[in-house]
Amino acid sequence: MREFQRAASKIKEGNVVVFTGLGVSCESGIPTFRGSEGLWERYNPARYATMPQALFTLLESPQEIADFVIDFYEMFNCAQPNIAHNIIAELEQKNIVTYVITQNIDNLHQDAGSQNVCELHGNACEAICIRCGFKEKRTKEDIAAFTEGLKSLRKRWELLKYMMRYIGKCPECNVRLRPNIVFFGEMLPPEELKKAKEVARNCKCFIIVGTSGVVYPAANIPYEAKHSGAFLIEINIVPSYRDIADIIIESPACKAFEGISKYL
Ligand code: ZN
């Protein structure tokens, strides 16, 4: 495919930023939350993914939150990085990709070996202190052990105590940590958003992968890159940036990165 070759020749010039969305994760088996197979079909997001309602649900009915937490984390824990994640990580090791900006919270870019990752919606493997920003990362094995333990508990106070102990406190401020996930209606973490815009403005080539371009303000980031003179490559089954993309590859992420990598 001629697009693969054209994209590869631009990518080879270096200073590339990759911007990823759900399309990349779904090829690792993570379903979209909103689809018919999605988590929000079974759990009402207003009750589980908005603050402070999620806290009320936790106190009122810890069993409900426990069921949700088990389903939520099992979905992530089963997922492994795919070829797209791996090629993106390799390109960083070769100093071609400088940064990954992701809207995903599944840690799959890091699992593949990417180090410079800007996470616009947080990271499901982390807990964060809202006062000082301290972050604590848990391994997927650790999270799996936590959800297994959760399955064996039924009593309200046992569940609450177990979940509270797991989430822990900030060693600096002694306040309760919370999952480092941007809940519905919450602002994106300002530092991450600032960093994302900065790297987008300073790159030579910007690759959009598997994002519908409808979730703002993240959806604006490709425009920041374009307006600063970057060359734009869009990889999407259904393209969303036709107005600004220099190359459009209408394909799933894995197939596209495999195709491009043959010319790198
Ligand atoms: Zn703190």
Side-chain angles (χ1 to χ4, degrees):
M1 198 173 160
R2 211 179 112 67
E3 269 70 31
F4 292 160
Q5 203 173 353
R6 279 181 66 212
S9 71
K10 270 289 164 190
I11 292 168
K12 272 195 277 194
E13 291 174 16
N15 195 1
V16 177
V17 166
V18 185
F19 177 60
T20 65
L22 270 176
V24 180
S25 296
C26 84
E27 286 188 79
S28 284
I30 293 182
T32 57
F33 284 33
R34 290 177 191 283
S36 57
E37 299 286 302
L39 209 59
W40 304 142
E41 275 296 301
R42 280 173 287 148
Y43 297 96
N44 176 2
R47 211 166 149 66
Y48 300 91
T50 58
M51 280 291 190
Q53 182 54 50
L55 269 181
F56 299 147
T57 312
L58 172 67
L59 295 173
E60 201 177 273
S61 173
Q63 183 65 59
E64 259 186 69
I65 290 283
D67 291 343
F68 172 70
V69 163
I70 291 166
D71 281 353
F72 182 78
Y73 281 107
E74 285 189 342
M75 181 176 79
F76 289 122
N77 270 357
C78 298
Q80 297 292 327
N82 59 46
I83 293 170
H85 292 110
N86 292 337
I87 293 173
I88 294 166
E90 278 165 28
L91 289 173
E92 183 181 321
Q93 277 140 28
K94 289 179 183 163
N95 290 321
I96 290 175
V97 165
T98 56
Y99 246 92
V100 175
I101 304 169
T102 188
Q103 296 167 85
N104 303 330
I105 59 172
D106 48 40
N107 204 58
L108 289 176
H109 284 296
Q110 291 93 331
D111 289 345
S114 289
Q115 295 191 3
N116 294 331
V117 184
C118 190
E119 296 175 308
L120 296 176
H121 294 149
N123 183 317
C125 298
E126 285 175 355
I128 189 168
C129 169
I130 52 161
R131 190 176 295 171
C132 73
F134 166 83
K135 284 179 194 165
E136 194 173 76
K137 198 148 198 156
R138 275 86 194 256
T139 62
K140 291 191 173 174
E141 289 74 26
D142 186 32
I143 295 169
F146 163 69
T147 54
E148 277 310 306
L150 208 49
K151 286 178 191 170
S152 64
L153 303 174
R154 280 291 167 260
K155 289 198 181 103
R156 190 175 178 274
W157 65 270
E158 279 179 346
L159 281 166
L160 256 181
K161 204 167 101 183
Y162 182 76
M163 283 191 271
M164 288 299 188
R165 196 189 314 140
Y166 183 74
I167 192 99
K169 284 183 176 177
C170 173
E172 292 294 318
C173 324
N174 204 34
V175 297
R176 188 73 60 191
L177 302 176
R178 58 163 274 177
N180 184 22
I181 299 170
V182 176
F183 283 56
F184 285 112
E186 289 185 325
M187 277 174 46
L188 301 194
E191 285 303 313
E192 298 286 320
L193 186 59
K194 196 174 145 207
K195 182 79 193 174
K197 287 181 178 173
E198 183 191 311
V199 299
R201 282 195 290 260
N202 288 308
C203 70
K204 253 177 95 173
C205 174
F206 189 90
I207 311 177
I208 301 159
V209 196
T211 173
S212 62
V214 293
V215 183
Y216 287 86
N220 273 330
I221 293 172
Y223 291 93
E224 300 265 349
K226 184 71 188 180
H227 293 152
S228 305
F231 187 88
L232 244 68
I233 300 170
E234 176 174 14
I235 299 167
N236 254 333
I237 299 173
V238 181
S240 347
Y241 291 93
R242 283 193 187 278
D243 51 335
I244 52 169
D246 295 290
I247 296 177
I248 295 176
I249 299 174
E250 286 184 47
S251 154
C254 289
K255 197 178 149 210
F257 274 98
E258 242 179 330
I260 292 170
S261 71
K262 292 199 180 98
Y263 298 98
L264 288 172

